[in-house]
Amino acid sequence: MAREFELCPGRRVGGDQPCFIIAEIGQNHQGDLDIAKRMIRMVKDCGADCAKFQKSELEYKFNKKALERPYTSKHSWGKTYGEHKRHLEFSHDQYRELKKYAEEIGIFFTASGMDEMAVEFLHELDVPFFKVGSGDTNNFPYLEKTAKKGRPMVISSGMQSMSTMHQVYQIVKPINPNFCFLQCTSAYPLQPEDVNLRVISAYQSAFPDIPIGYSGHETGIAISVAAVAMGAKVLERHVTLDKTWKGSDHQASLEPNELAELVKAIRTVEKAMGSPIKQLLPCEMACNEKLGKSVVAKVAIPEGAVLTLDMLTVKVGEPKGFPPECIFDLVGQKVKRTIEEDETITEQAVENHVKKSEV
């Protein structure tokens, strides 16, 4: 079982802990602080554990030419990519306001630090954990500096290879043992054939001492629920208030009714995972009493006869007698009294019967 650690104050992940559900607001707030607050309230009301944003210090994330290139997409908020990103980027003071709001309503708040300076700010902001977006997972200097901050880390693995993820593990583990990997495919929206949920199992085998999770960009909730059934201990999904809004992430996001249904489905699946011990349960007793079968005499059996298989059959009997799995154990045993045809065979009718021990 993957080890546990405290991801947020009082909230552990891994082992037998419930899945930690991150609602990725990202930049789906359209650059509007009031919308961002509405989204924090929405994810809280839907039952998610954490509201997450994306923080960039644009001059550290992009070079000048990247910021100056024309951006003519229907999703653009400006003539250049820099203007577009600046429209969507909240200031430090706005982030402080959002974190305070999240604390007031009782939901954890964090952000992906999209560059080293953003991580510095989030560290100052005192977020409970750092989210490493897939674009920085192979940014080894960034990983090392982030790990040294000492906060728990959630590391996505979109666009990466297993070889790279082994390198990430080897870099982070000696510095900061409190981290987990998320299986992720960086496509928006993500097609089912590109999800590769089996990577979750591969990660569980390759990295048995850390929790494994899933970050999904698909439509709907079925795949994410399946990820939890496979053992994902952290789940991240993008969320929106309206999929028709301008922005490339909205189509790969969940609207409020979908997020609420996802949380409900995950908690139901977690209950259903239950125990690995197979046994007759109290809830099955009524059905067993009504329909559970017993060994019955196929023919009349005289007192003193030694039972053979052709004397016996299995039926729903009244009263209850030997269960069907004991039929072969009864062969060769002597009966103490006459047993009528179609009569249930009970312990009282068989000499020296020793109950078969249950395994």
Side-chain angles (χ1 to χ4, degrees), residues 4-13 17-18 20 49 108 128-129 152:
E4 295 181 20
F5 65 88
E6 190 174 69
L7 184 63
C8 296
R11 184 63 163 85
R12 300 178 68 79
V13 295
Q17 299 296 326
F20 186 86
D49 294 293
F108 295 117
F129 67 92

Side-chain angles (χ1 to χ4, degrees), residues 4-259:
E4 295 181 20
F5 65 88
E6 190 174 69
L7 184 63
C8 296
R11 184 63 163 85
R12 300 178 68 79
V13 295
D16 292 325
Q17 299 296 326
C19 180
F20 186 86
I21 301 172
I22 300 171
E24 164 71 293
I25 294 169
Q27 296 193 320
N28 282 352
H29 48 68
Q30 314 301 84
D32 186 311
L33 193 68
D34 288 336
I35 290 176
K37 288 181 178 179
R38 282 170 55 198
M39 294 184 77
I40 294 172
R41 166 58 72 179
M42 179 271 287
V43 300
K44 163 69 175 177
D45 291 344
C46 289
D49 294 293
C50 179
K52 189 181 83 66
F53 290 77
Q54 295 173 5
K55 183 71 186 94
S56 299
E57 303 293 345
L58 296 178
E59 285 71 24
Y60 290 89
K61 181 179 179 182
F62 302 97
N63 70 7
K64 287 183 181 179
K65 286 189 176 180
L67 291 172
E68 291 169 357
R69 69 177 168 85
Y71 192 48
T72 57
S73 163
K74 65 180 181 179
H75 300 304
S76 174
W77 293 94
K79 293 180 181 179
T80 66
Y81 197 63
E83 288 179 8
H84 166 76
K85 295 301 287 186
R86 287 187 186 94
H87 173 83
L88 293 172
E89 195 63 48
F90 287 140
S91 69
H92 289 191
D93 283 344
Q94 286 174 316
Y95 260 87
R96 292 186 184 99
E97 187 174 340
L98 289 173
K99 181 171 184 283
K100 181 181 178 184
Y101 178 73
E103 289 170 349
E104 286 171 355
I105 67 171
I107 189 169
F108 295 117
F109 174 95
T110 194
S112 297
M114 309 300 276
D115 54 78
E116 290 181 15
M117 291 308 295
V119 170
E120 292 294 334
F121 167 66
L122 293 172
H123 185 57
E124 173 199 320
L125 191 63
D126 197 27
V127 295
F129 67 92
F130 292 129
K131 169 65 197 301
V132 177
S134 294
D136 280 305
T137 297
N138 59 349
N139 183 351
F140 295 157
Y142 165 102
L143 276 181
E144 190 172 82
K145 289 178 182 177
T146 302
K148 285 179 178 177
K149 298 295 185 187
R151 296 182 188 275
M153 298 168 68
V154 174
I155 303 172
S156 276
S157 61
M159 304 178 286
Q160 310 304 329
S161 66
M162 182 62 92
S163 174
T164 297
M165 296 313 294
H166 276 284
Q167 288 179 274
V168 172
Y169 177 90
Q170 290 160 6
I171 289 168
V172 175
K173 184 72 174 180
I175 303 170
N176 183 349
N178 297 326
F179 69 100
C180 65
F181 287 164
L182 307 186
Q183 160 57 358
C184 177
T185 302
S186 298
Y188 306 81
L190 174 61
Q191 298 304 308
E193 57 268 26
D194 293 322
V195 172
N196 295 326
L197 285 180
R198 287 193 175 97
V199 175
I200 293 173
S201 300
Y203 282 167
Q204 289 167 337
S205 296
F207 312 109
D209 58 343
I210 64 171
I212 302 301
Y214 174 68
S215 177
H217 305 127
E218 73 277 4
T219 57
I221 70 170
I223 290 169
S224 293
V225 174
V228 174
M230 291 181 69
K233 292 299 178 181
V234 175
L235 179 81
E236 178 184 73
R237 287 297 305 270
H238 285 249
V239 298
T240 182
L241 293 178
D242 188 337
K243 290 182 185 181
T244 67
W245 279 356
K246 184 165 73 173
S248 56
D249 284 351
H250 290 287
Q251 285 189 340
S253 300
L254 300 176
E255 289 183 339
N257 62 320
E258 294 175 298
L259 178 60

